[in-house]
Amino acid sequence: VIAGAAKGHNLQTIEGLATRPTTDRIKETLFNIIAFDLPEASFLDLFSGSGAIGIEALSRGAAEAVFVENGKEAVSCQKVIQANLMHTKLQGRARLLQTDVLFALDRLAAEGKKFDIIFMDPPYEAGLYTSVLERIAENGLLKAEGYLIAEGSSQIALTIPKGMKILREKVYKTTTLTFLCAEEENV
């Protein structure tokens, strides 16, 4: 963990190639960009992997984080996320959903949840970006001033769904962070 209450804690990672952790360089840049928006924020971490992004958000002052993970290594991911939350003592502000991301988005919408920041990092080649972005927009899961960060391959164009617009992009050699928000008429 780079900064905040859990600074310096080393997190467990997932064995094998089933997950692709965000590099330290990208994670540090990401959190430098969003640092002032984190205190008391509600944070949604989709395709959580080891939970490193959501845990960093909690460490830096997010009020709550919801982790959604259901990949091929879901059971391993769940155990690792839980262990990392216990290790950092942040489990009291965290919720873990072991389910399909689209189902989780529908469930959270049915509960009336809205988030200040949503982070998503699906498998690059899985073709999930468009369906997940559309479901977030349809369900109105972003707060009025909220935004979404999509981490993706710099080689794969991101299709922006109706109801969302790009705020900014940060392009690296192989990875792009795209910041999106709801268009005003959809808030």
Side-chain angles (χ1 to χ4, degrees), residues 22-31 151 172 175 177:
T22 301
T23 66
D24 286 344
R25 177 175 168 235
I26 292 172
K27 186 165 85 166
E28 188 169 1
T29 301
L30 167 65
F31 280 96
E151 180 176 331
Y172 299 88
T175 304
L177 294 176

Side-chain angles (χ1 to χ4, degrees), residues 7-158:
K7 180 180 179 178
H9 283 79
N10 291 320
L11 301 179
Q12 290 183 29
T13 57
I14 310 300
E15 298 273 333
L17 302 173
T19 62
R20 176 194 25 75
T22 301
T23 66
D24 286 344
R25 177 175 168 235
I26 292 172
K27 186 165 85 166
E28 188 169 1
T29 301
L30 167 65
F31 280 96
N32 285 340
I33 293 169
I34 69 173
F36 294 110
D37 298 328
L38 282 171
E40 298 305 313
S42 55
F43 193 93
L44 177 59
D45 185 358
L46 302 174
F47 308 95
S48 299
S50 68
I53 298 296
I55 289 170
E56 187 74 37
L58 287 170
S59 179
R60 292 176 182 236
E64 65 172 334
V66 176
F67 299 82
V68 179
E69 179 57 59
N70 197 36
K72 291 178 184 174
E73 301 293 322
V75 173
S76 295
C77 290
Q78 300 290 315
K79 289 179 180 175
V80 168
I81 293 169
Q82 290 171 341
N84 285 335
L85 287 166
M86 296 291 282
H87 175 66
T88 57
K89 298 177 178 46
L90 296 170
Q91 70 274 16
R93 299 189 339 250
R95 178 180 176 193
L96 180 55
L97 298 176
Q98 180 183 344
T99 187
D100 172 76
V101 168
L102 297 176
F103 180 79
L105 295 173
D106 289 342
R107 181 174 167 184
L108 292 166
E111 294 172 6
K113 294 292 291 179
K114 290 188 178 280
F115 296 91
D116 295 297
I117 303 170
I118 299 173
F119 179 82
M120 61 181 275
D121 183 14
Y124 288 174
E125 305 295 332
L128 296 169
Y129 288 94
T130 301
S131 59
V132 172
L133 289 172
E134 286 173 349
R135 191 68 58 90
I136 289 167
E138 288 167 9
N139 285 334
L141 288 168
L142 280 172
K143 290 184 180 177
E145 299 297 319
Y147 55 89
L148 178 144
I149 305 139
E151 180 176 331
S153 170
S154 296
Q155 282 65 52
I156 300 172
L158 186 64

